[in-house]
Amino acid sequence: MANHKTRLAVFCSGTGSNFQSLFHAIEERRLPAEFALCLSNRSECGAIVFARQHGIPAIHLSEKQYETHEAFSSAMLKTLEEHDVDYILLAGYLRKVPETVVDAYTYRILNIHPALLPDFGGEGMYGINVHKAVLEAGCKESGATVHYVDPEYDKGPVLLQKKVPVMPDDTPESLAARVLECEHKLYPDALEKLLVGNES
Ligand code: GRF
C-alpha cells in the first residue's frame, strides 16, 4: 500500500520519556509510522497522560483485571488486533509480555534496556539496579540497547546500541540520567533503522 504507515503500540509503566522522544522523532523525521495505542499496566502514569493529550488511544490493561493469565493475554492480543498494530515498542514496561503475544508478534516487539546487553540484563536488572551494578563492576562505559524481544528477559537479538562514558564521580543517578539521554536518541534511531533502513 502506497501510504501505509506502520502502526505502533507502545507499552509503558511510568514517565514515558522514551515514548515522547519516539513520538517527536516520528513527527520531525517524518518516519512512516504512527502510534496506534499506548498500553499501560497502570491506570495513571506519565505515558498514559501524554497519549491522551496527543489523541492516541490510552489503554489500561493489567493482569489484576482478569481471573486468569490466559484471559489477560487474550485481552491483550484482541486489543492489539483491534487497533491493527504492526509493531510493539516496550518503553519502560515493567511487566513480562505474555508468551502468546510474543509468539504472535515474533520479531515485531522491541525493547530498550539501559545498559550494553548482553551485560547487565536479565531478571531484577531494571531501573537504578542496572546502573548500580555497572558502577560496582567498575565499567568505564555503559550505554543503552534496543533489542528484539523473545520469551526470555533481555535475550533477543540486538538491533542497535549506543555507548556513554562512565565518569569517575558517577552515582547510579547521574549515570542513569546520562544513559536516559542516550536512550532518547537511540530508540528513534533504531526505529528509523527498522522502518527505512537508515543508520544515523
Ligand atoms: C528507561 O531507562 C528504559 O531503558 C527502561 O525504563 C526506563 C523508562 O523510562 N526500560 P521512561 O518511562 O521512558 O521515561
Side-chain angles (χ1 to χ4, degrees), residues 15-18 92 112-114 180 183:
T15 317
S17 67
N18 276 293
I112 187 156
H113 185 77
L180 188 62
E183 291 180 46

Side-chain angles (χ1 to χ4, degrees), residues 30-160:
R30 301 200 181 94
L31 297 179
E34 61 191 351
F35 280 102
L37 65 95
C38 170
L39 182 148
S40 180
N41 56 303
R42 294 175 56 193
S43 57
E44 283 300 320
C45 63
I48 286 282
V49 171
F50 183 84
R52 279 197 211 112
Q53 285 170 346
H54 292 80
I56 298 164
I59 294 164
H60 172 220
L61 196 76
S62 158
E63 187 141 9
K64 291 185 193 143
Q65 298 161 322
Y66 297 88
E67 285 193 1
T68 62
H69 181 69
E70 288 66 34
F72 167 64
S73 35
S74 305
M76 188 181 276
L77 258 186
K78 191 164 171 258
T79 303
L80 294 166
E81 282 162 11
E82 280 171 359
H83 288 82
D84 216 1
V85 168
D86 298 310
Y87 280 89
I88 300 170
L89 308 180
L90 307 184
Y93 184 60
L94 297 176
R95 291 286 179 275
K96 212 169 172 190
V97 178
E99 220 168 302
T100 47
V101 176
V102 176
D103 287 346
Y105 282 81
T106 312
Y107 287 103
R108 292 191 294 146
I109 309 181
L110 300 179
N111 180 41
I112 187 156
H113 185 77
L116 297 173
L117 292 176
D119 296 334
F120 306 106
E123 206 149 359
M125 278 293 156
Y126 60 87
I128 208 74
N129 296 350
V130 177
H131 308 294
K132 277 185 187 155
V134 168
L135 292 179
E136 275 162 21
C139 299
K140 297 278 174 283
E141 50 188 19
S142 188
T145 305
V146 173
H147 64 97
Y148 292 95
V149 170
D150 62 15
E152 281 187 86
Y153 278 102
D154 304 331
K155 289 275 169 62
V158 169
L159 176 63
L160 207 60

